[in-house]
């Protein structure tokens, strides 16, 4: 199993270098890996948010959806539902299915400054699966 561990360590090092050089897809991967504690990384929600936010700052839809979720839930960053919803809506506009899902859930439960609205919830949840 040490060969697998070494392979994972090399993979993380490669992706981290790419992310540091501005590769948005690498930023997203690194954010996910930190968020789930994958590839030998310890789970670290602050690092997960950091990499998602870097991708969001580069106007990446997945990064916006991830960072938006972190902000509305306070996962890895101080909770800021207003800013989180702005990022979520920006991700929706860029076609993010994940952001559509988050928006649908927010409407379904009347969360993050949105009213409880079943009709809107169904619209966004269906859009997330189309």
């Amino acid at each position: 199993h040490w060969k697998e561990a070494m392979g994972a360590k090399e993979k993380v090092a490669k992706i981290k270098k790419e992310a540091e050089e501005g590769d948005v897809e690498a930023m997203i991967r690194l954010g996910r890996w930190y968020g789930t504690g994958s590839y030998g990384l310890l789970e670290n929600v602050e690092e997960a948010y950091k990499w998602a936010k870097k991708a969001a700052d580069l106007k990446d839809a997945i990064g916006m959806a991830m960072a938006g979720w972190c902000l509305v839930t306070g996962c890895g960053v101080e909770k800021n539902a207003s800013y989180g919803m702005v990022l979520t809506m920006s991700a929706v506009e860029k076609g993010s299915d994940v952001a559509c899902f988050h928006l649908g859930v927010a409407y379904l439960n009347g969360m993050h400054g949105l009213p409880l609205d079943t009709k809107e919830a169904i619209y966004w949840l269906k859009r997330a699966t189309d």
Side-chain angles (χ1 to χ4, degrees), residues 34-112:
Y34 273 116
T36 59
S38 301
Y39 292 95
L41 293 172
L42 293 177
E43 185 177 320
N44 183 330
V45 292
E46 289 83 11
E47 280 293 306
Y49 171 75
K50 178 182 107 175
W51 287 107
K53 181 66 168 74
K54 284 180 183 275
D57 289 345
L58 295 172
K59 307 303 181 210
D60 178 77
I62 296 169
M64 290 174 169
M66 289 171 62
W69 181 252
C70 289
L71 284 158
V72 299
T73 61
C75 184
V77 64
E78 185 176 334
K79 189 174 183 174
N80 184 334
S82 297
Y83 183 40
M85 290 307 293
V86 167
L87 284 179
T88 299
M89 286 307 300
S90 294
V92 164
E93 289 170 4
K94 289 183 161 282
S96 169
D97 295 339
V98 171
C100 288
F101 175 78
H102 291 161
L103 190 57
V105 170
Y107 273 117
L108 188 63
N109 295 294
M111 299 164 54
H112 315 307

Side-chain angles (χ1 to χ4, degrees), residues 9 17 31 33 37 44 49 56 63 90 93 96 106 110 116 120 124 128:
K9 190 173 183 178
K17 182 179 185 299
W33 295 350
N44 183 330
Y49 171 75
S90 294
E93 289 170 4
S96 169
L116 190 140
E120 278 294 308
W124 291 109

